[in-house]
Structures are given as C-alpha cells and as structure tokens.
Amino acid sequence: GLGSTGAPGDDNTVCQSCHNGPTDIEVKIFVLDQADTITKYEANKTYQIHVRVNHAGGNVPKAHGFQMTLLKAIKGQNGENLKDITPISQNVKLVTIRNGRLYAEQTDRSATNLFEVQWKAPLPGSGPITIYAGGTGVNSNDSDSGDGGSRTSLQVDEALPSSADNTG
C-alpha cells in the first residue's frame, strides 16, 4: 500500500527488504533529452527517464521489476509528487497507491532490465526534483528467495535561464 523506492514518505521497506538473496542488483537512473543524458532540466520540457536494473554479481536474474516516483524536493527531503509521467515501454504501468503518490512500476516480471517513461518537467521556478527508484532481479520461482534488490535516487536541478543581455 506504500511505495518501496526509498523516497521520504514511502514505507520503510524497499525492494531488497524482501528480495535479498544471492543476486546483487544495481539500479541506475538516466534522464535523457533525445540521446543526451542531462543533469539539469528546463522547465516545461519533455524528457525520457530510463531506469536500468543491472545484474552486479551472484545469481543471474531471469526477470526484473522496478518502482519509481518523482518528488519536487532536494534529495532526502519530502516534497510534492510530480505526476506528469507516461509509460513509454510496454513493461511499465502507472499506479496511485495508498499514500496518494503516483508511481511507475513493472507490469509483470520483465525479461528486459530497462524501464522507460516520459516526463514533463514542472513550471519555471520549481527547483530541484529527485527521482527515486527501486529494482529487483528475480529467479522467477514465485517466492522472494534467491532474488536481489536495490534502490537509488537522482537529483536533477533546474537549469536557470541565461541572464545575458544580447541587445547590444
């Protein structure tokens, strides 16, 4: 009923609380403008967010899962849940859970480790946003034994408009 991304306000459990077997997983978040990875966003611009759930050691997973949410706040601080996201890849769905936040998560066990959404950045002056994501690598034995999980977060700051005056 609550998120498992590690975001402030989520449940204290995260994916690795249950999926903590001999599979090591690393979760990576990328914000893309076309093919370029960005570290600052422009207000009202549309980006892609890619979450990769990578095998980092131990047993090789047969399938993957993830959950992601975005907060308008610096990393580690609670803030407004940003809801202007749309699934791009077929393995992603959106859910609103008991805490009222919108999350992107896997539709089912995913054979691919890549999960993609489209995100429209907030209005000018919104400040930093933080993306929180948790992921699992599973052995598909219908229990959490032998699986692995991890989580991460990425703060993306707002790009401030240039104040250069080119009127000469």
Side-chain angles (χ1 to χ4, degrees):
L2 297 175
S4 296
T5 65
D10 273 8
D11 189 20
N12 288 331
T13 62
V14 293
C15 296
Q16 71 262 36
S17 296
C18 296
H19 299 278
N20 59 5
T23 301
D24 294 323
I25 297 300
E26 179 181 57
V27 179
K28 297 281 191 175
I29 302 169
F30 303 93
V31 181
L32 302 171
D33 182 7
Q34 307 285 331
D36 296 325
T37 302
I38 60 125
T39 58
K40 294 187 177 204
Y41 72 88
E42 294 177 35
N44 291 317
K45 189 169 181 175
T46 301
Y47 298 94
Q48 286 189 16
I49 299 174
H50 290 188
V51 176
R52 284 201 177 270
V53 180
N54 296 322
H55 173 244
N59 295 344
V60 177
K62 292 183 179 177
H64 304 86
F66 97 116
Q67 188 179 60
M68 179 194 81
T69 196
L70 291 87
L71 299 182
K72 187 166 61 170
I74 61 171
K75 189 184 288 190
Q77 297 292 315
N78 207 344
E80 176 188 342
N81 180 221
L82 299 178
K83 298 183 178 189
D84 203 347
I85 58 175
T86 305
I88 297 173
S89 54
Q90 301 257 338
N91 60 348
V92 176
K93 67 180 178 181
L94 300 179
V95 296
T96 301
I97 56 178
R98 191 174 62 202
N99 65 9
R101 286 187 182 158
L102 181 69
Y103 292 82
E105 63 183 28
Q106 81 278 352
T107 55
D108 201 350
R109 292 182 199 140
S110 176
T112 179
N113 68 334
L114 175 62
F115 302 90
E116 302 168 295
V117 299
Q118 180 176 288
W119 167 61
K120 184 175 179 192
L123 297 173
S126 293
I129 63 102
T130 303
I131 305 163
Y132 293 89
T136 59
V138 300
N139 60 11
S140 298
N141 70 353
D142 292 325
S143 87
D144 53 22
S145 67
D147 300 339
S150 187
R151 68 178 185 190
T152 193
S153 58
L154 175 69
Q155 179 177 312
V156 183
D157 295 322
E158 183 176 4
L160 299 177
S162 172
S163 61
D165 182 12
N166 293 329
T167 59

